Amino acid sequence: VFEDAEECARVLADAMALKKSAAAYMHPEVGVTATDATVFGRNYFNRYSAPETEVFEDAEECARVLADAMALKKSAAAYMHPEVGVTATDATVFGRNYFNRYSAPET
């Protein structure tokens, strides 16, 4: 009986942890709160006395990565909110169908 109670407590603790993770996943607007002192460290790369380390090639790569991240964010938002719909602004999307026009010969 005691082992069953311990197992039940472990299962309930796992279920509560999964519920907390699911709530954090579905509501990213809530944010993260950190109270652990080891989380707040000094950043030696962004301090004022740090030497400049960014190179032109690195800046280009960073711009490419950020553009990819923005595209992925846009895709994720479209996936999570299908009710928004699709808007097409590209001129090549609105092409003429030469097979279904009225003046097309019968095939």
Side-chain angles (χ1 to χ4, degrees), residues 4-89:
D4 292 339
E6 286 180 346
E7 181 67 24
C8 183
R10 280 195 299 268
V11 168
L12 288 175
D14 286 345
M16 291 204 36
L18 285 172
K19 181 179 178 181
K20 185 177 179 182
S21 295
Y25 179 78
M26 288 303 293
H27 299 286
E29 68 273 2
V30 173
V32 178
T33 57
T35 57
D36 190 10
T38 58
V39 175
F40 304 106
R42 183 172 178 187
N43 189 351
Y44 290 98
F45 299 103
N46 291 337
R47 68 183 194 276
Y48 293 112
S49 62
E52 187 65 34
T53 57
E54 190 170 16
V55 186
F56 181 71
E57 292 83 18
D58 293 339
E60 286 180 340
E61 179 68 21
C62 182
R64 282 194 296 271
V65 168
L66 287 176
D68 287 345
M70 289 296 291
L72 285 172
K73 181 179 178 182
K74 186 177 178 182
S75 296
Y79 180 78
M80 289 297 291
H81 299 285
E83 68 275 4
V84 173
V86 178
T87 58
T89 57

Side-chain angles (χ1 to χ4, degrees), residues 89-96:
T89 57
D90 189 12
T92 59
V93 175
F94 303 107
R96 184 172 178 184

